[in-house]
Amino acid sequence: MKSKSMILTVMLMVLPSALMAQQSIQKMFENWQGDNRVRMKSQHFLERDPETGRMEAMFDVYDGMMPNDALGKQLVKATQTVFEREKESAYQIRTISQTENDHTSNLAVGDNYSQSVAIGKIRGSDYIFACFLDKDDPEKKHRYAYAFEWADRGDSIQFRLAVTYALIPKYRNNRNGIIIINEKKISVNGTSSSFGPDSISFGSEHHPEVWLGEFNIYKNLFLKKTEGHAASQYATSIYRLCKKTDCLEAEEKSLVCKEIQKLRKKTEDEFIQELFDMSIEHLNK
């Protein structure tokens, strides 16, 4: 008796080419989620404009394992095929082989680079992602990005499926590539990776200009919202950065410490204050 996975995979492999763009990818994602052989956990985020109710930011991420047997291999191949078939409808599609390139792509979420979904962090994985304009957006400013990442783990296949919703690159914040700290202009054009305009890969552990650029993005976002969940996220991102500061010179660390001290004074949240204190401790090591 054929499994549900086999039946759905065969159906998706023969879907008509006239099927609406993105729909076949979405159906394939549902196939993975509906296969009872798959062990999976998920993360979800959704943000709407409180006045209009329109979606502004979203991500759905599914991480899991499935048996590396004939059915598992066929499902991986079918998913790749569906992505490749949509290349004429997508405004960007990329396929990366980790055996040839050691890169991580971060798919933006929302209206800036404060949130993203990482693709390529699974050891030894290959991945593919495709970006489509939101046809329901009358201003044509938003896009959906779909990503599939997979790696051979012997008896199992490790995978990540992801969907994100964001402004297309030219409408996002910090698109001019210049940041300012204490009236000092610093170019951060290096935040754009080789994957094209819709993915970002900071590589901040190796490049001080990029590290400072990423810090400044989080700093400015925090200053816009100094309390609540979003503020905690930005503070956590700053703390994460400050744990990896080998690329910075002493004067650059001192500059960042001064900026964090200013941020600390802007909030009454004790957890965030503690994060900033620990960030400064790391910078002073």
Side-chain angles (χ1 to χ4, degrees):
M1 178 179 178
K2 292 183 177 181
S3 73
K4 180 180 179 181
S5 175
M6 172 69 83
I7 296 170
L8 287 175
T9 298
V10 172
M11 287 174 60
L12 286 164
M13 289 288 281
V14 297
L15 283 172
S17 58
L19 195 63
M20 186 176 66
Q22 303 173 234
Q23 189 175 343
S24 56
I25 295 179
Q26 186 64 48
K27 284 184 176 293
M28 181 57 82
F29 279 20
E30 292 170 3
N31 186 14
W32 282 83
Q33 297 166 47
D35 193 316
N36 56 18
R37 305 185 320 145
V38 173
R39 293 180 286 113
M40 182 186 300
K41 62 181 180 179
S42 63
Q43 305 174 56
H44 306 278
F45 172 79
L46 175 64
E47 187 170 77
R48 298 184 185 276
D49 183 306
E51 295 182 358
T52 66
R54 275 197 56 82
M55 182 167 66
E56 294 185 332
M58 177 276 290
F59 68 72
D60 294 318
V61 180
Y62 304 89
D63 294 292
M65 306 284 286
M66 78 168 302
N68 189 11
D69 54 16
L71 291 179
K73 289 181 172 65
Q74 185 175 10
L75 188 54
V76 168
K77 182 61 178 177
T79 306
Q80 290 177 266
T81 300
V82 168
F83 270 89
E84 290 163 2
R85 193 171 58 202
E86 294 287 9
K87 69 174 74 174
E88 297 302 320
S89 301
Y91 70 77
Q92 182 184 7
I93 185 166
R94 297 284 178 177
T95 303
I96 306 296
S97 173
Q98 292 279 35
T99 59
E100 301 172 1
N101 304 284
D102 185 17
H103 290 295
T104 298
S105 179
N106 294 290
L107 298 178
V109 176
D111 63 356
N112 51 53
Y113 296 142
S114 65
Q115 294 189 85
S116 62
V117 172
I119 305 295
K121 286 193 171 183
I122 297 175
R123 176 177 53 82
S125 67
D126 296 336
Y127 64 93
I128 185 170
F129 69 81
C131 301
F132 304 86
L133 282 175
D134 178 7
K135 296 186 181 300
D136 294 326
D137 180 3
E139 297 181 319
K140 305 303 179 189
K141 291 183 176 182
H142 291 82
R143 65 95 178 107
Y144 288 91
Y146 294 81
F148 171 51
E149 178 181 5
W150 69 98
D152 189 320
R153 290 289 177 262
D155 293 338
S156 300
I157 297 170
Q158 185 176 0
F159 67 88
R160 164 167 278 200
L161 304 167
V163 185
T164 77
Y165 186 78
L167 285 171
I168 61 176
K170 68 179 181 179
Y171 294 112
R172 293 186 203 140
N173 292 341
N174 202 47
R175 61 180 180 271
N176 60 5
I178 300 294
I179 59 95
I180 299 175
I181 298 181
N182 281 354
E183 301 182 351
K184 179 181 178 182
K185 290 186 178 181
I186 301 171
S187 172
V188 293
N189 286 328
T191 57
S192 295
S193 75
S194 61
F195 303 123
D198 214 282
S199 63
I200 56 173
S201 184
F202 286 113
S204 53
E205 294 126 34
H206 307 292
H207 304 288
E209 293 85 0
V210 179
W211 194 104
L212 291 169
E214 188 174 354
F215 168 77
N216 202 64
I217 290 170
Y218 293 131
K219 182 198 78 170
N220 289 334
L221 288 166
F222 178 82
L223 288 173
K224 291 179 181 179
K225 198 161 189 177
T226 58
E227 306 292 341
H229 178 67
S232 295
Q233 283 189 318
Y234 303 143
T236 300
S237 296
I238 289 172
Y239 173 65
R240 173 184 56 80
L241 274 176
C242 291
K243 292 172 69 176
K244 299 180 179 180
T245 59
D246 291 344
C247 66
L248 300 181
E249 300 291 338
E251 62 270 21
E252 292 168 332
K253 291 182 180 180
S254 177
L255 181 66
V256 174
C257 281
K258 292 177 182 177
E259 291 299 311
I260 293 177
Q261 288 167 352
K262 293 178 184 177
L263 296 179
R264 192 186 189 284
K265 295 176 181 178
K266 297 290 185 178
T267 182
E268 299 296 327
D269 189 304
E270 293 183 358
F271 173 73
I272 294 176
Q273 290 177 342
E274 184 65 25
L275 282 175
F276 287 150
D277 289 340
M278 291 190 295
S279 298
I280 292 172
E281 288 178 10
H282 281 289
L283 287 162
N284 288 329
K285 287 182 178 178

